[in-house]
Amino acid sequence: MPEAPRHNLPAEPNRFVGRERDLDDLRGLFGETRVVTLCGVGGIGKTRLALRVAAGLVGGYPGGVWLVELARVSRPEQIVQEIARVLRVREESGRPLLDTVTARLRELRCLLLLDNCEHLVDGCAELAAELVACCPRLSVLATSREPLRIASELIWRVPPLDLPEMGYADAESVQLFMDRAAAAGTRLGPDSLPDVVRLCQALDGLPLALELAAARTSLLSPGQIADRLDDRFSLLTTGGRTAPARQRTLLATVDWSYDLLSAKEQVLLRRLSVFARDFDLDLAEQVCAERPIARDEIVDLLGGLVDKSLVLCDEERRRYRMLETIKRYAMKRLERAGEREDVRERHLTVLCDLQERHFTTEMVRPGVPWPERLECLTASKQLLDDQRAALDWAAESGNARLGLRLCAASTALLPISGNLTEIVGWIERLLSLDLEPVPDGQVAQGKAYLAYGLEARDELSRSLEVATESLAGLGEENVFTRCVMHSLVVVVLLRMGRIDEALHHAERGLAEATESGDAWNQAAGLAGLSAVALTRGRLREAQRLGDEALARAREHGHRWLMARMAAQLGAVAEARGDLETAKSRYELAVPWLCELGSDSDLARCLARVGRVAAMLGEFAAARERLADSLALSRQTGQRQGVARCLAGLSVLAEHEGDLDGAVLAAAAAATLRESIGQHSATIRIEELLSRARAKLGEGRTASLWSRGRAMSPDAAARQVLAGERPAAPPPAPAEPVRHSLLTVRELEIAGLLTRGLSNRAIAEELVISPATVARHIANIMEKLGYTSRAQIAVWAAEHPSASA
């Protein structure tokens, strides 16, 4: 696995000018204090300075430097969600997200850059104070128009750029203006210097104002710009008297820039403020082309806004964005013009149409080449921030119909992208609205994706309940979603140990998918049947069904689906004892999942590769894969994934000769699985404990098991991952020869069958569950090639020494 990035800081868009003294002083402060807030008026350059400071501190924070952009966050409860998204921490069932984030940061020496806190200053202050109190190695750098006012905070007032004295050209403000004017294509000679100095003084050295003014030098001389600015400042100071003076100056600059636009440019600038982040020309045309702007005018109008620095773009002019100050200004203008509701509703409708087209091409349409499917997935992900804004509007305006439609059409909120748990909050919020105008089938479809999210959060009982409600309401027009729901229910029921019910849903889903010619859900249905057969110990059947599932997945062509089917075949091969084939099947899925960025599925696959590598004696590879899987599971907050890694580490420890570590890790895994209501791998644990009792004794094994159940998952993992492993002990004296390949527990059950006992009676005698007995009997049949309990009983009677 490549080394994980240690920061998420963006590349600088242009040359950083000035503030060298500020940079040195600010970086030095982090050796003395843990919380620094850069305060100042909007447009003074707080974000740019903070990013430059943070970039210089990356080497001092092994846990990383992480930018958390809060400008697009609209509610206090979303602050911790945005931090979790940046840190790739997933929400857990029954546990506040803040607790999960705190656990992630507690042992890390890292720096959080909280950018644009002013509109959520109280929430930012409370959250920063709690994180700093709980995470002793965490530092926070914040930008805000006002201080957070928390204990230990050092407030750094960001000053304007140095202003020049008349006749001097080395001041920071002059350097910035000249640099940006040159970038706009204007070469200013020495005769312009007096006017440039006057302009810089008039603008108070505010970087944003200087950049806007420099962009106008293609039309006006510095002297003309300075003359116009004087008039605008005078006009604005007669308005909002309660605003800080420097804020009035900045607003005057933006007002002046806005007034220079044509009427249609003004309309477009206002409407562009609806986009949450960056956007492309096609999206701008679909949302903003409404009277008085025609669609074919957008490209030229947008180009004009880019030239005037009110809209920024990348080098290829494919992605556009607005500076936050300009965007907020434009939003107020949009509201003042009475267009806010219409534009936001159009934005929501356009996103529904776009995401539905992406979803259909990526997931549903047959015969689409993989590059085209991947392109649609990528496009869907790029719309995620706008989708959040649109869903927020749907909830605010009470438009549950379009909100649920958008949720159901977004690959970005499905498991392929690893954002499943986020959809829970959106759909619950939408389902709480007035649903009378919403068709029943659409409500049922919303519940389907809610069930998907609940399963990802390990809320198995509630997921099953919601999925059942969804299936009852989905009609024939929703056959794709119906099949998806059957497959989800199979997963949930297998995790809960309810095999017979899982079989019913797998068969139903496959039948409906086959009837409709849906290759995606045919593959999923076959995989579900394979998983049921595997759980019952019917390995030949599981193999046949898994092969068919992979063939259907290849027919469809989506690599996430292919990866899931390859992993299922790996599980079958592993159960058969064909470890080399199992490892190759698991590893087949790894590059597909890396390409998709599907972290939760990648973590699952890496854990399986690690477990099998351990059984093959490839200990270094096993340790690496399991460590990578554990890191991914921690980052995404998936307790199921952590439990899976612990089970793999238990296998690694035992094969390295460390039975103590094996029992500890297995106990921690079992406890974690129980905490989320998941069925544990009882047979595997029983066999491990049987071997441990034989080598370590009953008392020591019981003590290790108790210790492991009390250990935190991280401590149990460290027990196996850290340090040298002891050499394997000399082999124990050979046991009497057994006349079968059965485990000790399977031999016990075979002997009890000679007495004609039922599964429940055997379970009571051995203090295990009837379901566990059934799985043991299925394994015995598979190993001995029998098809009935009577055959096992006859065999056990004929081999009394084997079943004694």
Side-chain angles (χ1 to χ4, degrees), residues 516-550:
S516 64
D518 175 0
W520 175 287
N521 282 304
Q522 285 180 58
L526 288 164
L529 288 173
S530 176
V532 171
L534 178 60
T535 305
R536 287 177 159 175
R538 297 175 180 173
L539 303 186
R540 287 188 292 271
E541 181 183 351
Q543 178 70 45
R544 175 180 59 79
L545 291 164
D547 287 335
E548 290 183 40
L550 182 57

Side-chain angles (χ1 to χ4, degrees), residues 286-354:
Q286 292 187 64
V287 174
C288 301
E290 189 75 16
R291 293 183 61 187
I293 302 175
R295 180 165 182 153
D296 59 7
E297 294 180 291
I298 296 287
V299 61
D300 289 333
L301 292 172
L302 185 57
L305 294 176
V306 170
D307 291 340
K308 297 174 178 66
S309 295
L310 290 169
V311 174
L312 305 180
C313 65
D314 57 21
E315 292 183 1
E316 294 81 19
R317 287 208 171 192
R318 297 184 63 183
R319 305 294 301 178
Y320 300 85
R321 67 183 178 88
M322 300 173 70
L323 292 171
E324 189 60 30
T325 300
I326 301 300
K327 178 181 170 182
R328 290 184 178 276
Y329 176 89
M331 288 171 65
K332 291 184 179 297
R333 286 282 187 170
L334 184 71
E335 190 164 5
R336 196 184 307 172
E339 293 182 310
R340 176 176 176 265
E341 290 76 12
D342 289 344
V343 175
R344 294 204 69 177
E345 195 72 13
R346 195 156 61 245
H347 179 243
L348 171 60
T349 303
V350 166
L351 281 174
C352 283
D353 293 340
L354 277 175

Side-chain angles (χ1 to χ4, degrees), residues 110-439:
C110 69
L111 173 68
L112 283 186
L113 198 176
L114 305 180
D115 189 35
N116 287 303
C117 299
E118 52 268 6
H119 60 301
L120 299 166
V121 66
D122 292 336
C124 287
E126 293 174 7
L127 184 59
E130 183 159 355
L131 287 176
V132 169
C134 297
C135 306
R137 306 179 71 195
L138 172 69
S139 296
V140 174
L141 174 61
T143 71
S144 178
R145 294 184 188 180
E146 61 180 299
L148 301 182
R149 303 198 185 283
I150 62 176
S152 76
E153 177 189 24
L154 190 149
I155 301 168
W156 180 279
R157 301 284 180 183
V158 179
L161 294 176
D162 290 344
L163 294 174
E165 297 295 334
M166 189 61 67
Y168 291 91
D170 58 351
E172 292 174 340
S173 55
V174 172
Q175 291 176 26
L176 179 66
F177 183 87
M178 300 291 275
D179 183 87
R180 300 303 191 256
T186 305
R187 300 292 177 183
L188 299 174
D191 56 340
S192 299
L193 185 58
D195 285 330
V196 171
V197 168
R198 183 163 62 95
L199 176 60
C200 290
Q201 290 172 331
L203 291 175
D204 293 328
L206 295 172
L208 177 58
L210 289 167
E211 296 197 358
L212 289 170
R216 300 292 175 266
T217 55
S218 60
L219 300 173
L220 303 170
S221 70
Q224 290 174 313
I225 296 172
D227 291 340
R228 294 172 68 91
L229 278 176
D230 287 340
D231 292 337
R232 296 299 177 177
F233 290 156
S234 174
L235 178 65
L236 188 62
T237 53
T238 61
R241 299 181 182 278
T242 60
R246 294 192 183 278
Q247 186 177 16
R248 294 198 299 268
T249 301
L250 178 62
L251 288 174
T253 303
V254 180
D255 263 333
W256 161 79
S257 184
Y258 181 81
D259 288 344
L260 281 179
L261 301 177
S262 69
K264 288 187 177 180
E265 283 178 330
Q266 290 179 348
V267 172
L268 179 59
L269 183 71
R270 295 196 301 260
R271 292 176 180 175
L272 291 175
S273 67
V274 76
F275 297 123
R277 207 168 183 181
D278 60 332
F279 55 91
D280 60 18
L281 175 62
D282 181 64
L283 189 60
E285 287 175 337
Q286 292 187 64
V287 174
C288 301
E290 189 75 16
R291 293 183 61 187
I293 302 175
R295 180 165 182 153
D296 59 7
E297 294 180 291
I298 296 287
V299 61
D300 289 333
L301 292 172
L302 185 57
L305 294 176
V306 170
D307 291 340
K308 297 174 178 66
S309 295
L310 290 169
V311 174
L312 305 180
C313 65
D314 57 21
E315 292 183 1
E316 294 81 19
R317 287 208 171 192
R318 297 184 63 183
R319 305 294 301 178
Y320 300 85
R321 67 183 178 88
M322 300 173 70
L323 292 171
E324 189 60 30
T325 300
I326 301 300
K327 178 181 170 182
R328 290 184 178 276
Y329 176 89
M331 288 171 65
K332 291 184 179 297
R333 286 282 187 170
L334 184 71
E335 190 164 5
R336 196 184 307 172
E339 293 182 310
R340 176 176 176 265
E341 290 76 12
D342 289 344
V343 175
R344 294 204 69 177
E345 195 72 13
R346 195 156 61 245
H347 179 243
L348 171 60
T349 303
V350 166
L351 281 174
C352 283
D353 293 340
L354 277 175
Q355 292 290 48
E356 282 177 345
R357 289 202 297 271
H358 293 325
F359 183 90
T360 300
T361 301
E362 183 203 344
M363 308 275 283
V364 182
R365 253 178 54 202
V368 177
W370 169 241
E372 189 176 343
R373 293 195 194 278
L374 180 60
E375 184 180 349
C376 286
L377 170 60
T378 303
S380 181
K381 288 181 177 181
Q382 285 181 333
L383 290 171
L384 185 54
D385 283 329
D386 270 299
Q387 175 163 310
R388 291 180 177 123
L391 287 173
D392 207 37
W393 171 249
E396 179 186 336
S397 62
N399 195 337
R401 182 181 60 84
L402 283 185
L404 290 172
R405 178 183 162 198
L406 182 53
C407 283
S410 172
T411 306
L413 292 176
L414 292 179
I416 297 169
S417 299
N419 289 308
L420 256 177
T421 57
E422 182 181 349
I423 205 171
V424 172
W426 288 119
I427 294 183
E428 286 182 333
R429 190 176 172 195
L430 292 166
L431 290 177
S432 69
L433 302 174
D434 178 13
L435 299 178
E436 187 174 346
V438 185

